[in-house]
Amino acid sequence: DKYIFMLAYGVSVTEKWEGGNRRNVNTKRLEQTISAIQKTHKLAKLDDVQEWYCNIESVLKYLKFPVVSMGLLKYCAVVTMDQSYFKGVTDTVPLHLILIDEIASNHPLHHDTVFTFLKQLFQRSHEHLQELEQIEIRKMVIDRMVHLLCVGHAIPVIQYMRACLDNETADKSLIRHFAAEVMEVTTSPYSNDFIEEFLPIAKNPDITASLRNINESDSISQFIEYCKDWAGDGRKRG
């Protein structure tokens, strides 16, 4: 408990100093922070999915504390990296990945750490599973990356998936899934950086041919047309 107190004190208490003397100590958030850490730590020690679900409303409140969300992120990384994790998962989206989405939504400063975790999970081998099962797991991870894109980490995510395409380090069906999901959640106007990174994916026929229709009324065709107008207006940086 003393370690929890020290951690909570370090992240929640502010001190005001004048002339080398401490004039004021603000401990307003200390007890709340201690409680959030203690209760989340208890759930993590139990490591029981049903207990997490029973307390999910409280957990979603606790993870609004940055210190709790970072601890949960580390916990989720350890749990999901276990070789047996996805073998026993029956949920459409497992609890731990739901928590990752919530962390990404609530803490922009954690985006880099969340993305590093998702890349590791995406690249992890699941040789004990059938190939189609492995594809579905990676699609699940891509969905988390798309969520991260939606909450403000767009360019790093697109750059990573483009690198997967260029270096042929991911199945094309996964890149196609990514492209379809991105078009589903985005709309114009697009930034210059977004266009420059995503356009090569959208224009690659191996990836998007099956997503387009003859009338060019699909989102991929419309995005490419938008990019033509964007270039014609002289907005492309050169």
Side-chain angles (χ1 to χ4, degrees), residues 131 159 163:
E131 185 174 350
Q159 287 175 333

Side-chain angles (χ1 to χ4, degrees), residues 17 25 36 42 50 109-110 113 118 122-123 150 153 182 189 204 212 222 226:
W17 292 73
V25 180
K42 182 180 179 180
Q50 291 306 314
L109 293 180
H110 292 355
T113 307
L118 291 176
F122 184 75
Q123 294 162 3
C150 290
H153 208 63
V182 169
N204 189 310
R212 304 176 67 176
Q222 291 174 354
Y226 174 91

Side-chain angles (χ1 to χ4, degrees), residues 11-70:
V11 300
S12 67
V13 174
T14 58
E15 300 178 348
K16 184 178 180 179
W17 292 73
E18 292 180 4
N21 297 313
R22 188 171 67 176
R23 296 296 187 185
N24 180 270
V25 180
N26 185 344
T27 60
K28 184 178 181 180
R29 291 174 57 84
L30 179 59
E31 291 303 320
Q32 288 179 317
T33 305
I34 290 173
S35 177
I37 295 173
Q38 285 177 331
K39 291 175 180 177
T40 310
H41 182 247
K42 182 180 179 180
L43 286 170
K45 286 180 67 177
L46 288 173
D47 198 25
D48 185 322
V49 172
Q50 291 306 314
E51 284 295 322
W52 282 102
Y53 275 121
C54 288
N55 293 276
I56 191 64
E57 288 188 15
S58 297
V59 171
L60 294 180
K61 293 179 183 178
Y62 301 153
L63 65 72
K64 293 185 184 298
F65 292 83
V67 64
V68 173
S69 69
M70 184 56 75

